[in-house]
Amino acid sequence: MSYKVLLVGNGAREHAIAKKIVENDGKLYSYMERENPGIADISKKFVLGDLSDFSKLDVFKKVDYAIIGPENPLANGISNYLEDKLNVPTCGPRKEVARIESSKIFTRCLMDAYDIPGNIPYTICSSIDDLANAIKEFGMEIAIKPDGLTGGKGVRVFGDHFTTFREAKDYARELLTKNNEFLVEEKKVGKEFSMQIFADGNSIVPMPLVRDYKRAYENEEGPNTGSMGSYSLSKHTLPYLTNSDKEYALDILRKTMFALEKQTGTKYRGILYGQFMKTDDSIYLIEFNVRFGDPEALNVLKLLDTDFNKLSMQITDGNLKTAEFSKLATVCTYLVPNGYPESPASAEEIQIEESEDIDLYFASVYRLKKSIRTTKSRSIALVGTGDELEDAREKIAENISKIKGNLFYRKDIGSLL
Ligand code: AMP
Ligand code: GLY
């Protein structure tokens, strides 16, 4: 059966989802904020609009199912709209349970209330006095977090973003002008990993583990970005994790899915992605995301052997079975405009020589006549695949010079483990 599928979003993550939908014989319909040339070229029809303007989705009411790429529309209730108003089964959680990403305070409290392991000691603050008390309890080694969605840019960590009480207070004051609460967590030190699962509210199916690299420059230096790349291994785990670490993290995700239903009465249906940290003593949950990771989606979708459209339909039906992934390694490297993220050069032409050896995904670029141009955000993601990590890295090294423009990338993705 050839499913008609609506895809919402327009980044490299969505380009990877789009390719998979079409590769598995789906007919692609897309709703994008900005035209992604890669998605546009393989869509039967696409509509451009604000992703929070759900009324524009009405023209897609005949699709078999919808899948949502980014978190903002999920937090704003796009799945509720599609399911309740248009009768379109949707792979992506409803608003009530999407709070697990859009409110970090909700998440920490839920983990406490349902005894979910991996919670980080925290305090909910609504004044500078509360911040001072939190510092009395935890010391200066804290992370300060706004409560809403901030596109990965709201978290400030001691040592990385601030060092003095004054700086912590300044940030807290700034947060209090926007919201009456913010979150303070104990700072943890360790290695992070991304665990994504398919979830239908009844059972879960794990995907290969991925490590992403958020800093702009090699050796994890420089400012935080949306991510500069990621890798996964043929064994689907990561070098610094044991089997029991994996089970521990998976258990956190499973318990969270059930806790969400108990708390809200709504089943969690879609992708659930936990960002975890392994420290010297345990595994901690840094944050939940209610969607595929970007770039983690690019690593895992490249390996997915099970039909993606059938899998998504199973999720919407609450009938999830299994998913198979090739035992290969992947490296994803982002090419970004020179100056990114602070002062990126934009509107510059990118020349692309396509190659069978590598997968290419458009991120934030636009098409002017026949040329592809940069914006101020990440431009292109390349995914190299091979039997082992070194082979995947080599694919990137051999092919990346085929993309020419005023761009840079990190050469150490997959070497710095
Ligand atoms: P989040 O948006 O919550 O994932 O935070 C963004 C990044 O900040 C994470 O990927 C971590 O690198 C860092 N971070 C967040 N919370 C903590 C914490 N409690 N301790 C140490 N680092 C953290
Ligand atoms: N890999 C980071 C994110 O998708 O939020």
Side-chain angles (χ1 to χ4, degrees):
M1 147 130 197
S2 171
Y3 291 109
K4 292 197 189 82
V5 187
L6 168 64
L7 169 66
V8 176
N10 45 253
R13 167 182 52 206
E14 288 75 24
H15 190 190
I17 298 172
K19 275 194 183 176
K20 205 71 203 177
I21 290 167
V22 173
E23 195 181 296
N24 293 150
D25 215 20
K27 292 195 180 71
L28 179 65
Y29 296 80
S30 312
Y31 185 49
M32 301 187 266
E33 206 141 73
R34 177 186 48 70
E35 182 183 329
N36 177 312
I39 299 176
D41 285 352
I42 57 174
S43 295
K44 293 263 170 225
K45 174 189 171 97
F46 69 88
V47 171
L48 300 180
D50 186 331
L51 298 192
S52 57
D53 179 4
F54 302 154
S55 66
K56 285 214 166 150
L57 298 169
D58 294 1
V59 293
F60 297 114
K61 64 170 178 268
K62 296 228 168 82
V63 297
D64 294 298
Y65 81 91
I67 178 152
I68 317 302
E71 61 276 21
N72 286 83
L74 289 165
N76 291 334
I78 195 168
S79 303
N80 305 54
Y81 187 91
L82 284 162
E83 290 178 347
D84 302 346
K85 287 244 166 68
L86 304 184
N87 220 7
V88 170
T90 301
C91 185
R94 292 169 69 87
K95 185 177 181 168
E96 304 79 5
V97 286
R99 282 190 79 199
I100 197 85
E101 177 167 358
S102 59
S103 169
K104 291 177 194 291
I105 291 177
F106 170 78
T107 299
R108 293 289 174 217
C109 295
L110 184 92
M111 290 179 80
D112 259 359
Y114 291 87
D115 281 331
I116 297 170
N119 211 5
I120 294 180
Y122 67 94
T123 306
I124 301 164
C125 296
S126 48
S127 67
I128 300 297
D129 281 350
D130 289 347
L131 171 72
N133 287 333
I135 289 173
K136 264 192 209 128
E137 189 181 348
F138 302 130
M140 277 306 288
E141 309 259 313
I142 54 170
I144 304 176
K145 304 186 170 188
D147 193 39
L149 291 177
T150 56
K153 295 187 185 76
V155 173
R156 301 258 170 108
V157 181
F158 172 81
D160 283 347
H161 308 104
F162 69 91
T163 47
T164 64
F165 183 42
R166 174 183 288 260
E167 286 168 326
K169 272 196 299 194
D170 286 348
Y171 189 48
R173 267 196 205 99
E174 187 187 321
L175 295 181
L176 287 172
T177 61
K178 295 177 204 143
N179 203 334
N180 50 18
E181 284 179 334
F182 62 92
L183 187 66
V184 170
E185 292 175 5
E186 194 177 282
K187 176 183 173 176
K188 295 289 177 191
V189 178
K191 285 201 148 183
E192 289 184 59
F193 61 96
S194 303
M195 181 180 267
Q196 303 169 98
I197 58 166
F198 298 108
D200 72 349
N202 305 315
S203 61
I204 64 172
V205 171
M207 306 186 213
L209 293 177
V210 181
R211 159 145 191 218
D212 85 328
Y213 297 81
K214 291 204 176 75
R215 299 301 186 105
Y217 314 132
E218 276 149 32
N219 295 315
E220 285 297 89
E221 285 171 8
N224 263 329
T225 69
S227 179
M228 294 296 286
S230 51
Y231 77 86
S232 72
L233 299 183
S234 59
K235 292 197 174 100
H236 298 167
T237 182
L238 291 169
Y240 44 90
L241 297 178
T242 63
N243 273 344
S244 71
D245 292 338
K246 268 174 72 171
E247 285 309 317
Y248 194 85
L250 204 54
D251 188 48
I252 293 172
L253 294 173
R254 189 186 295 108
K255 289 192 162 121
T256 300
M257 177 183 79
F258 289 123
L260 278 167
E261 186 181 356
K262 283 206 192 98
Q263 182 66 25
T264 65
T266 298
K267 281 195 189 288
Y268 188 99
R269 289 187 169 153
I271 315 301
L272 179 59
Y273 147 29
Q275 186 72 36
F276 293 93
M277 189 185 277
K278 177 175 175 160
T279 67
D280 285 343
D281 63 72
S282 193
I283 304 276
Y284 292 96
L285 183 279
I286 296 288
E287 68 163 352
F288 289 113
N289 299 294
V290 295
R291 44 156 179 98
F292 279 116
D294 186 347
E296 290 90 336
L298 283 62
N299 302 85
V300 299
L301 289 174
K302 179 65 197 163
L303 303 178
L304 181 67
D305 290 330
T306 306
D307 185 308
F308 181 75
N309 295 316
K310 287 191 184 142
L311 197 55
S312 304
M313 285 298 283
Q314 285 174 7
I315 291 171
T316 66
D317 288 349
N319 189 23
L320 178 62
K321 298 196 173 70
T322 58
E324 300 298 326
F325 293 88
S326 305
K327 296 258 185 298
L328 295 170
T330 60
V331 170
C332 170
T333 299
Y334 259 111
L335 291 122
V336 304
N338 269 321
Y340 174 82
E342 275 143 357
S343 50
S346 61
E348 308 246 5
E349 187 169 347
I350 306 174
Q351 270 149 2
I352 300 166
E353 189 191 323
E354 296 258 7
S355 161
E356 299 257 295
D357 279 351
I358 200 120
D359 288 277
L360 181 149
Y361 303 93
F362 289 113
S364 193
V365 292
Y366 64 98
R367 190 157 39 196
L368 187 70
K369 297 192 178 128
K370 289 210 161 143
S371 72
I372 298 292
R373 306 260 165 167
T374 58
T375 66
K376 291 190 179 300
S377 194
R378 295 173 297 172
S379 310
I380 285 177
L382 291 185
V383 176
T385 309
D387 287 335
E388 297 305 335
L389 190 60
E390 268 317 299
D391 307 308
R393 290 196 68 224
E394 246 168 61
K395 288 268 174 60
I396 298 283
E398 284 163 8
N399 289 284
I400 204 154
S401 59
K402 292 177 180 155
I403 316 291
K404 293 193 172 62
N406 189 9
L407 304 167
F408 80 98
Y409 61 94
R410 276 182 60 171
K411 296 189 182 64
D412 63 347
I413 307 294
S415 71
L416 183 75
L417 303 178

